[in-house]
Amino acid sequence: MAPENRPLKVAVVGSGPAGLYTAEALTRQTPGAVEVDVLERLPTPYGLVRYGVAPDHTSIRSIADYLRRVLELPNVRFLGGVELGRDVSVADLLACYDAVVYCTGAPVDRRMGVPGEDLPGSAAATDFVNWYCGHPEVSADRFTLDSPEVAVVGVGNVAVDVVRVLAKSARELRATDVPEEVLTRLAASRVRVIHMIGRRGPEHAKFTLKELRELGELTNADVRVRPEESAADLSRASRQVRGNVEVLRGWAARAPLGRPRLLEVRFWMRPVEIVGRDRVEGLRLERTRPSEDGIVGTGEFETLPVGMVLRSVGYRSLPLPGVPFSERTSTVPNEAGRVRDREYVAGWLKRGPTGVIGTNKSDAAETVRTLLSDLA
């Protein structure tokens, strides 16, 4: 612990939910005085809440109001434009602080590992999310929605956000904080059919019931599910999964209303190749079926005539200079948040990309308990 004549000083690297929940936990759990510096490589705070949540989800984005109050605490300071490895080193931080907590999240998408994945028109869903959220490192001309059909590979909440924004009209998004340059491109969108594709069945999808239901409430797009693909074994299913499958089966029985856009939700289909010479011209899929080891291909193929493919098949953390990192798990190895002497970790960098935004609060509290116990 710091000497009695001065406060405990802690550096938190990363200003997303994990980082700011860690800062808050330090101010609440530390028995004596504490000073927390939150370091962020971008000029602005809030991480995923600012640049990873769809702008039409105002209730979730309002979490930024809560996080702002953490930064307004008198013993918490925000230092933007400071990057670990570029501006400061681990040794620099340990020389200035009693402890350092790494909270940089999982900022990049996993790859599908199929031929054609690097063609123009193939991109990570997080890049698309950053684009419509106005991330300073993604230019407004990054995406041009000039293809009538688009595929989003993945059936989690990020994929749902992406297809919802693609399906909505620019008029519906104008009341949000989508940048004006992006709104102009969304208004010029030629997209008419959006395919959301899952490798396994609906009972394995990762979206939450609330997010899924919102797709059925779209006024600018019909939703279509094939009855044979909505079948699921619910014998051991949770209440959440049963709710998801019930919604999907309801869509399968619903007649289209002729809305401007069509959202087609597909299951038991896996990408095997992104087709095209100079850019994306199609997505080749293979039908799958369950097996003892997960899924296997059936040898039945289908090619979607899409001009853009956005992958949302999982996320991974990046190693930090001078910090231990497991390439196998894409996390920093730790014990209850402890990395090594005076170094700690919290959030997705600690446990992997699991849970919702609020999960980071209890996760950060655990790390802070470990930190305070060690320094005591």
Side-chain angles (χ1 to χ4, degrees):
M1 187 67 74
E4 293 183 5
N5 62 345
R6 72 166 176 83
L8 174 70
K9 291 189 174 184
V10 181
V12 175
V13 181
S15 67
L20 293 181
Y21 285 138
T22 297
E24 180 187 43
L26 283 163
T27 64
R28 292 186 174 183
Q29 294 185 34
T30 305
V34 62
E35 293 179 357
V36 183
D37 282 352
V38 180
L39 282 60
E40 170 59 55
R41 70 180 186 85
L42 296 176
T44 51
Y46 311 138
L48 179 69
V49 172
R50 182 186 291 269
Y51 297 120
V53 176
D56 58 341
H57 267 186
T58 54
S59 61
I60 298 177
R61 290 173 74 87
S62 66
I63 295 173
D65 294 334
Y66 181 94
L67 299 179
R68 185 191 70 246
R69 290 195 290 272
V70 176
L71 289 177
E72 290 173 347
L73 294 171
N75 52 347
V76 176
R77 182 171 60 161
F78 175 72
L79 303 175
V82 179
E83 183 174 353
L84 183 65
R86 182 191 67 188
D87 305 301
V88 293
S89 67
V90 170
D92 293 332
L93 295 180
L94 291 174
C96 297
Y97 299 92
D98 298 300
V100 180
V101 188
Y102 307 111
C103 307
T104 52
V108 296
D109 287 62
R110 294 186 182 276
R111 292 174 63 85
M112 295 186 294
V114 301
E117 194 166 4
D118 293 319
L119 281 170
S122 169
T126 49
D127 287 346
F128 191 75
V129 174
N130 288 338
W131 174 69
Y132 63 61
C133 287
H135 194 291
E137 295 178 343
V138 181
S139 65
D141 60 1
R142 171 67 176 83
F143 291 95
T144 301
L145 305 177
D146 55 0
S147 173
E149 298 196 32
V150 172
V152 179
V153 180
V155 282
N157 281 347
V158 173
V160 170
D161 281 350
V162 169
V163 300
R164 191 180 63 254
V165 169
L166 285 168
K168 283 189 171 183
S169 66
R171 177 180 52 80
E172 292 175 288
L173 294 168
R174 186 161 294 281
T176 71
D177 54 2
V178 174
E180 188 63 34
E181 300 93 332
V182 174
L183 272 175
T184 299
R185 289 179 174 261
L186 288 169
S189 171
R190 295 180 54 207
V191 174
R192 294 296 174 263
V193 181
I194 307 149
H195 307 271
M196 184 166 70
I197 299 159
R199 297 181 304 119
R200 298 195 292 173
E203 69 270 33
H204 303 113
K206 300 299 184 183
F207 38 60
T208 55
L209 183 57
K210 178 180 181 295
E211 294 264 356
L212 182 64
R213 282 176 171 160
E214 289 180 358
L215 296 182
E217 298 166 0
L218 293 169
T219 59
N220 196 55
D222 289 317
V223 182
R224 184 169 69 190
V225 177
R226 303 186 183 196
E228 68 275 14
E229 293 182 357
S230 63
D233 178 8
L234 302 179
S235 58
R236 298 182 180 179
S238 66
R239 182 177 179 182
Q240 168 81 27
V241 168
R242 290 177 182 274
N244 285 344
V245 174
E246 181 181 344
V247 169
L248 292 165
R249 288 174 176 171
W251 292 347
R254 193 161 68 179
L257 299 176
R259 290 170 175 152
R261 290 174 181 155
L262 171 66
L263 167 58
E264 186 166 44
V265 186
R266 303 293 304 274
F267 295 100
W268 299 114
M269 303 294 290
R270 69 178 179 190
V272 293
E273 182 184 4
I274 297 177
V275 181
R277 297 187 61 182
D278 300 320
R279 60 166 294 113
V280 173
E281 298 173 5
L283 177 64
R284 192 165 186 250
L285 304 170
E286 181 182 18
R287 182 163 295 284
T288 60
R289 62 174 176 80
S291 72
E292 293 182 357
D293 299 323
I295 60 169
V296 294
T298 63
E300 179 185 346
F301 297 93
E302 174 184 347
T303 299
L304 302 177
V306 299
M308 183 167 71
V309 176
L310 300 172
R311 65 179 184 275
S312 181
V313 294
Y315 306 92
R316 59 185 176 89
S317 300
L318 295 174
L320 296 172
V323 180
F325 189 77
S326 169
E327 293 290 347
R328 183 181 63 84
T329 62
S330 292
T331 59
V332 170
N334 69 93
E335 294 181 7
R338 182 191 303 107
V339 179
R340 53 192 178 189
D341 185 37
R342 299 197 293 136
E343 292 179 76
Y344 301 86
V345 65
W348 280 3
L349 186 62
K350 169 186 173 183
R351 68 181 191 276
T354 60
V356 295
I357 291 175
T359 309
N360 292 294
K361 192 166 189 175
S362 58
D363 182 284
E366 178 192 57
T367 293
V368 170
R369 285 193 298 270
T370 301
L371 182 156
L372 294 177
S373 175
D374 289 349
L375 297 188

